[in-house]
Amino acid sequence: GALISNKISGMISGMKNGSLAEEDIDIALQLDKNNPMAQIENARMYINKPGILGGDVSKGIEIISNVIKDNPELEKGYVNLGLAYIENVEIQNAINIFTRLLEINPSNPEAMFFLDKLKLTRLKPKTDPGEQQNKVANRDKGGKITQRVITGRGKKVVWKIS
């Protein structure tokens, strides 16, 4: 499931590979419902799916939080929880999770990368309660992403990509 879900990079790819990933994750959970990596991949499906197709970031966060409770040394759990909090525009929670991961493993490259991005390039959130969640990637003429903007739940976060 993880190998297939990592291939999903957009709507067309999601339509093509999403059901294959779901099937593999379901089989893995049937074989061992306590498999933490299968649970994380299941949570990622909730996080990455559009709401209209059954996606639910909060449910994904809940699943990964439970995985971490049962497996407090599983670094992948913290990384995925931090990314889920970013997706849900819960930036302080993401910072807290990546900070906790660095307490467990001070040399975790993913925690260092995302924590640096969150702390150094975050702009102050702007409040607009009526704003819909939106993700935008600004690109230069060569197609390289120069800025990523996530808005939603009354907040706006901007990352400048160098």
Side-chain angles (χ1 to χ4, degrees):
L3 292 175
I4 294 172
S5 67
N6 285 330
K7 288 175 57 175
I8 299 172
S9 60
M11 183 175 70
I12 302 297
S13 176
M15 289 172 22
K16 179 181 171 189
N17 297 313
S19 62
L20 295 174
E22 276 188 77
E23 289 173 18
D24 287 352
I25 292 165
D26 286 344
I27 290 169
L29 288 171
Q30 288 172 12
L31 293 172
D32 180 4
K33 68 179 182 178
N34 296 318
N35 179 323
M37 294 309 295
Q39 291 176 345
I40 288 171
E41 289 305 318
N42 186 43
R44 287 181 53 189
M45 293 298 290
Y46 280 105
I47 293 162
N48 294 322
K49 252 189 204 181
I52 196 165
L53 298 176
D56 183 347
V57 178
S58 296
K59 179 148 178 86
I61 288 171
E62 177 185 337
I63 292 169
I64 298 173
S65 294
N66 288 329
V67 169
I68 289 173
K69 285 178 192 169
D70 295 338
N71 306 277
E73 301 300 316
L74 183 62
E75 294 180 29
K76 271 293 186 209
Y78 292 92
V79 171
N80 281 281
L81 183 57
L83 293 173
Y85 280 134
I86 291 171
E87 180 71 21
N88 213 32
V89 196
E90 295 181 46
I91 303 307
Q92 189 57 53
N93 285 338
I95 289 170
N96 294 344
I97 288 297
F98 290 124
T99 300
R100 173 69 182 117
L101 178 50
L102 287 176
E103 292 169 1
I104 295 168
N105 177 1
S107 62
N108 183 291
E110 292 169 303
M112 289 187 287
F113 173 79
F114 289 113
L115 196 56
D116 285 347
K117 286 289 185 190
L118 290 169
K119 284 185 172 180
L120 297 176
T121 62
R122 186 174 70 150
L123 297 179
K124 289 186 176 181
K126 296 180 180 179
T127 303
D128 180 1
E131 188 174 42
Q132 296 292 320
Q133 185 169 358
N134 187 22
K135 296 179 216 169
V136 178
N138 297 325
R139 300 175 185 270
D140 63 15
K141 290 181 183 178
K144 181 181 174 189
I145 295 176
T146 58
Q147 188 179 70
R148 180 160 171 85
V149 179
I150 300 175
T151 59
R153 293 179 176 73
K155 299 178 183 176
K156 178 176 182 176
V157 179
V158 178
W159 283 276
K160 293 183 181 173
I161 313 292
S162 50

